[in-house]
Amino acid sequence: MLALFVAALLILIVVLILAFIFTGFITDFLGAPFVPTSSKIIDETLKRANLKKGKVFIELGSGDGRVVREAVRQFKVNGTGIEINPFLLVFSKLIAKLSNVSVKYESKNLFSVDLSNTDYIFLFLLPRTLKKLGEVNLKKCKKGSLIICHGFKLPGWEEKLVDKIDRKTFPTYFYQK
Ligand SMILES: C[S@@+](CC[C@H](N)C(=O)[O-])C[C@H]1O[C@@H](n2cnc3c(N)ncnc32)[C@H](O)[C@@H]1O
């Protein structure tokens, strides 16, 4: 009986690991793999963005939810994280609940999000994903909104660049619509 239980548990663990790897491949194909931004960079970037209390902050591809969670915790913005990987979503919701931070996480494809009412948009995505977003979705975002583009430039938005944090590996670019 115990052997059966252990075997079932092992099978469950293997299935979960395989599902996690598989969803990783899918999200990579859809937009970007999961690579978390470090706490130090989050703090520096959010401070530089000069976030205002009560404004709408959205993170497209929120991973484990850390960036939007910090934006809400430190600056009291109205924050939402959009993530397609169900494992990361569950984890994000759990951490937000445990740390008592009121942040919303939604299971969505980032290309289907309405950005017309958003003040800050945080992106850490592959250049090909940014290009597509910049050509279509971001064109529809509110005038004056700040697009915080971590890691890579937003192709075609050079004229809207208002600030930059230089770093050896991943710089951060700030664009004002
Ligand atoms: C490089 S990670 C960044 C995570 C987080 N923003 C951070 O800075 O720590 C990119 C995230 O985007 C998610 N992603 C990729 N394609 C997506 C899509 N089409 N819709 C929603 N999320 C997506 C991935 O699952 C991954 O968690």
Side-chain angles (χ1 to χ4, degrees):
M1 193 65 186
L2 182 70
L4 206 65
F5 177 73
V6 172
L9 195 67
L10 282 177
I11 290 170
L12 183 68
I13 291 171
V14 170
V15 167
L16 281 176
I17 291 172
L18 288 177
F20 185 72
I21 294 169
F22 183 63
T23 45
F25 281 128
I26 292 177
T27 51
D28 191 359
F29 172 71
L30 287 174
F34 173 52
V35 180
T37 303
S38 76
S39 303
K40 184 171 168 272
I41 289 178
I42 294 174
D43 289 351
E44 183 183 25
T45 304
L46 295 179
K47 205 167 156 197
R48 188 76 156 255
N50 196 19
L51 304 182
K52 300 278 186 287
K53 187 177 170 180
K55 295 279 182 188
V56 178
F57 182 104
I58 199 158
E59 181 179 10
L60 299 181
S62 52
D64 62 5
R66 56 179 67 196
V67 179
V68 62
R69 192 169 57 245
E70 277 311 298
V72 172
R73 197 180 66 79
Q74 295 184 31
F75 299 92
K76 310 281 178 276
V77 290
N78 173 359
T80 303
I82 304 294
E83 177 54 57
I84 209 163
N85 184 324
F87 291 95
L88 293 171
L89 266 176
V90 170
F91 186 74
S92 304
K93 288 180 184 175
L94 183 71
I95 299 294
K97 199 166 180 68
L98 290 177
S99 41
N100 205 18
V101 180
S102 175
V103 45
K104 226 187 308 163
Y105 292 103
E106 292 180 11
S107 169
K108 261 188 196 163
N109 186 335
L110 55 84
F111 292 109
S112 68
V113 178
D114 175 14
L115 299 171
S116 60
N117 224 353
T118 306
D119 300 293
Y120 307 103
I121 302 166
F122 183 91
L123 310 166
F124 181 21
L125 300 162
L126 291 175
R128 64 175 155 85
T129 312
L130 292 172
K131 185 168 184 293
K132 206 168 145 191
L133 265 180
E135 283 170 359
V136 186
N137 309 67
L138 294 173
K139 289 256 164 77
K140 298 177 200 154
C141 75
K142 196 161 86 179
K143 195 162 167 40
S145 49
L146 188 70
I147 299 157
I148 307 158
C149 208
H150 179 57
F152 304 99
K153 287 181 181 162
L154 191 54
W157 281 63
E158 295 76 16
E159 284 180 10
K160 305 278 184 196
L161 186 72
V162 289
D163 199 1
K164 182 185 175 194
I165 302 178
D166 274 313
R167 289 188 208 93
K168 255 193 194 153
T169 45
F170 289 129
T172 306
Y173 304 88
F174 298 81
Y175 302 87
Q176 188 112 46
K177 171 88 187 297

